[in-house]
C-alpha cells in the first residue's frame, strides 16, 4: 500500500484500514492523529525500524487528521469496539493529542503499561502524569513535546526580558516592537496569554490541575485589565507563521513562537540565523502528543515494545529532534549522548533542559482553559 493511498483513506476508511487481516505475518496496527508528517514518520521511519528489529511483524499505520478532531476519531473507534463487547480490539498503538488522550483514559479505554517498558523511567515532565487535569500516569508515553518561547533579534535586543514583568516594562519602553497573534490566529498567541494568566491570575497549580471552580474566573479582572493595557503597545500578527514572517522582515523584534517551527524556519533560511529564543519566567506552556495502547489491544506485548523503541534515546534523537526539531518526550539528558554536539547546541542552548523542566508548563485543565479564552474575548479584545 502506498503512502498516498494510506493518507487518502485515513479518515473515511479508518475502521477498514486498521482491520484488514495480515497474511503470513503479525500485523501491528498503529493509528495516529496529527498532520501528514505524523503518518509519514511511522510509515517511512519508525515502522521499518520496528520491522527490522522484529522480523515477521508488519506495521500498518492509519492517520485520522490533526488536532482534537483527529484524536476524537480514535476515541470513537475505541468506544465502538468497547461497546461491541469485543475481547480484542484491532488497534494496538495510538498516537493522540493531549486532551482526547485524557478523555480516553477517563473512559477506561487505555491500558496501564508504562512500568512495563524500560523507557518509562526516563520521563520527567508533568505532562506525562497530567493531561489537562486528567491523571494519566502509567497510561501514556510522550512522543514529543512542542514548546513555546519568545523569539528575539539579539542585534536589536541584546538583553531580552527574563520574565513577564520585565517584558511589560520593555514593551512600554519600546512600543510596537513586540508582536503576537492574540488568541484566534494560532496557538503561540494562546500560549502567551496562558503564560500571562499563570503569572498574574494567581493559583497556577489549580489552573493546571484543578479542581475546577467556576467562580475563580471572577478574580481575573485585574490580570485582564493589565493585559489590555499591555496590548496597546504591541503589534498583532496574523498567526504563528505571521509572527515569524514579521520577525524576518524586521517589523517586530520579539514575539512568541513554537520552538520546532522556529528552528525549522531557521534551517530553511526563512528567518535569520542570528535570531534566538528565550523562555521567560515563570514559564510558558507547550503540549505533548502521546503514545498509548488500548485496553484490549490484540498485540499488547508488541505494542509495548513498539512504544519502548519509539521512546528510546536513539530514536528520540534521530526521529524527534533531528527530523522535526521537537523536544523529546523523554528527559532531554537521556537523549544528549545520541545527538551531535551541533544539534544539541542548537536545540538546547537557548532553552536548556533545566529551563524546560522548570519553566515548560502544561496548558490549563479544559474548563479553566475555556474560561481564559472567553475572558480574553470579553475583557481584552473588546
Amino acid at each position: 500500500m502506498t503512502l498516498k493511498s494510506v493518507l487518502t483513506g485515513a479518515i473515511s476508511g479508518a475502521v477498514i484500514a486498521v482491520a484488514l487481516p495480515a497474511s503470513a505475518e503479525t500485523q501491528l496496527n498503529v493509528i495516529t492523529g496529527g498532520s501528514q508528517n505524523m503518518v509519514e514518520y511511522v510509515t517511512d521511519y519508525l515502522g521499518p525500524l520496528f520491522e527490522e528489529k522484529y522480523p515477521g511483524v508488519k506495521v500498518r499505520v492509519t492517520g485520522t487528521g490533526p488536532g482534537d478532531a483527529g484524536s476524537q476519531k480514535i476515541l470513537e473507534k475505541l468506544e465502538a469496539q468497547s461497546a461491541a463487547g469485543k475481547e480484542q480490539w484491532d488497534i494496538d498503538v495510538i498516537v493522540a493529542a493531549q486532551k482526547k488522550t485524557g478523555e480516553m483514559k477517563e473512559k477506561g479505554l487505555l491500558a496501564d503499561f508504562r512500568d512495563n517498558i524500560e523507557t518509562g523511567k526516563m520521563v520527567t515532565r508533568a505532562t506525562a502524569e497530567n493531561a489537562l487535569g486528567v491523571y494519566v500516569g502509567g497510561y501514556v508515553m510522550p512522543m514529543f513535546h512542542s514548546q513555546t518561547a519568545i523569539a528575539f533579534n539579539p542585534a536589536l535586543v541584546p538583553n531580552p526580558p527574563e520574565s513577564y514583568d520585565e517584558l511589560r516594562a520593555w514593551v512600554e519602553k519600546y512600543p510596537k516592537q513586540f508582536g503576537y497573534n492574540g488568541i484566534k490566529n494560532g496557538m503561540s498567541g494562546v500560549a502567551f496569554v496562558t503564560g500571562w494568566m499563570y503569572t498574574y491570575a494567581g493559583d497556577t497549580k489549580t489552573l493546571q490541575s484543578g479542581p475546577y471552580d467556576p467562580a475563580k474566573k471572577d478574580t481575573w479582572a485585574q490580570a485582564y485589565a493589565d493585559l489590555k493595557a499591555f496590548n496597546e503597545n504591541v503589534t498583532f500578527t496574523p498567526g504563528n507563521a505571521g509572527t515569524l514572517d514579521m520577525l524576518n522582515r524586521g517589523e517586530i523584534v520579539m514575539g512568541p513562537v513554537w520552538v520546532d517551527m522556529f528552528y525549522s524556519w531557521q534551517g530553511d533560511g526563512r528567518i535569520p540565523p542570528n535570531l534566538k529564543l528565550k523562555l521567560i519566567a515563570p514559564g510558558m506552556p507547550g503540549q505533548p502528543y502521546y503514545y498509548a495502547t488500548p485496553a484490549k489491544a490484540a498485540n499488547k506485548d508488541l505494542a509495548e515494545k513498539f512504544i519502548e523503541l519509539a521512546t528510546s534515546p536513539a530514536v528520540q534523537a534521530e526521529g524527534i529532534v533531528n527530523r522535526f526539531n521537537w523536544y523529546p518526550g523523554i528527559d532531554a539528558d537521556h537523549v544528549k549522548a545520541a545527538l551531535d554536539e551541533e544539534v544539541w547546541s542548537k536545540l538546547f542552548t537557548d532553552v536548556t533542559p533545566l529551563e524546560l523542566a522548570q519553566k515548560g508548563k502544561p496548558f490549563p485543565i479544559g474548563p479553566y482553559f475555556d474560561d481564559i479564552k472567553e475572558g480574553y474575548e470579553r475583557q481584552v479584545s473588546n
Side-chain angles (χ1 to χ4, degrees):
M1 180 177 286
T2 65
L3 175 60
K4 182 178 180 181
S5 64
V6 171
L7 293 174
T8 302
I11 297 176
S12 63
V15 174
I16 296 173
V18 297
L20 292 175
S23 51
E25 57 194 8
T26 299
Q27 183 169 290
L28 187 76
N29 293 312
V30 179
I31 187 165
T32 176
S35 300
Q36 177 178 329
N37 62 356
M38 300 277 278
V39 178
E40 293 173 341
Y41 177 64
V42 181
T43 301
D44 299 344
Y45 173 67
L46 196 54
L49 199 65
F50 189 75
E51 292 168 0
E52 182 181 356
K53 186 175 176 66
Y54 295 95
V57 176
K58 177 64 178 177
V59 177
R60 185 183 295 274
V61 60
T62 300
T64 58
D68 285 342
S71 294
Q72 175 67 23
K73 290 180 171 62
I74 301 174
L75 187 156
E76 291 169 359
K77 166 72 172 169
L78 296 180
E79 282 188 314
Q81 299 209 7
S82 177
K86 293 188 176 183
E87 288 301 314
Q88 289 189 333
W89 301 349
D90 60 9
I91 299 172
D92 299 306
V93 177
I94 70 168
V95 187
Q98 191 176 22
K99 180 180 180 182
K100 293 301 174 180
T101 306
E103 292 179 17
M104 293 178 210
K105 191 269 181 180
E106 284 189 306
K107 293 174 181 289
L109 300 173
L110 302 182
D112 186 345
F113 74 93
R114 198 163 76 206
D115 287 343
N116 300 337
I117 63 176
E118 285 298 315
T119 53
K121 61 178 70 77
M122 298 180 183
V123 174
T124 57
R125 290 279 290 263
T127 48
E129 308 297 322
N130 187 305
L132 303 181
V134 178
Y135 178 73
V136 292
Y139 291 81
V140 303
M141 277 292 289
M143 175 188 184
F144 65 86
H145 281 94
S146 54
Q147 176 64 46
T148 52
I150 303 298
F152 67 98
N153 185 335
L156 302 173
V157 190
N159 298 300
E162 298 279 346
S163 65
Y164 272 88
D165 284 345
E166 291 186 13
L167 179 62
R168 291 174 67 181
W170 188 93
V171 165
E172 286 189 16
K173 188 174 181 180
Y174 303 102
K176 305 301 181 181
Q177 294 302 295
F178 176 89
Y180 80 106
N181 51 303
I183 64 166
K184 285 192 170 181
N185 297 313
M187 285 296 291
S188 61
V190 177
F192 176 77
V193 171
T194 300
W196 181 284
M197 298 305 287
Y198 286 166
T199 307
Y200 301 114
D203 200 4
T204 299
K205 184 177 180 181
T206 298
L207 295 182
Q208 294 173 359
S209 303
Y212 177 64
D213 177 2
K216 192 169 186 61
K217 62 186 176 184
D218 297 332
T219 68
W220 299 342
Q222 188 59 53
Y224 284 131
D226 291 342
L227 183 53
K228 188 178 181 72
F230 175 87
N231 280 355
E232 292 177 1
N233 290 318
V234 310
T235 296
F236 283 99
T237 69
N240 295 333
T243 302
L244 288 167
D245 274 330
M246 294 182 77
L247 281 163
N248 181 53
R249 294 193 297 267
E251 295 171 18
I252 58 174
V253 300
M254 194 157 49
V257 299
W258 288 104
V259 171
D260 58 293
M261 191 175 183
F262 173 87
Y263 284 123
S264 293
W265 279 45
Q266 206 165 53
D268 292 341
R270 298 169 68 183
I271 56 174
N274 68 312
L275 296 188
K276 297 178 73 63
L277 294 170
K278 189 76 176 180
L279 185 51
I280 60 175
M284 294 176 63
Q287 55 189 351
Y289 253 72
Y290 292 128
Y291 291 114
T293 185
K296 295 185 178 181
N299 297 297
K300 177 179 180 295
D301 291 343
L302 275 177
E304 292 177 0
K305 293 181 185 301
F306 182 89
I307 296 172
E308 185 175 65
L309 177 68
T311 54
S312 64
V315 171
Q316 289 273 294
E318 172 57 29
I320 298 301
V321 178
N322 282 336
R323 288 173 177 248
F324 292 107
N325 295 305
W326 287 324
Y327 285 115
I330 61 175
D331 190 285
D333 284 331
H334 291 294
V335 182
K336 184 175 183 179
L339 287 173
D340 291 340
E341 183 60 36
E342 181 180 352
V343 175
W344 175 270
S345 296
K346 180 185 76 171
L347 197 57
F348 296 106
T349 295
D350 289 354
V351 181
T352 68
L354 179 61
E355 286 179 310
L356 276 177
Q358 292 177 340
K359 294 187 285 190
K361 306 296 184 184
F363 280 98
I365 65 172
Y368 283 132
F369 201 13
D370 292 340
D371 288 345
I372 287 172
K373 290 182 285 186
E374 188 273 335
Y376 184 99
E377 287 292 301
R378 252 188 329 108
Q379 301 184 52
V380 180
S381 292
N382 293 334

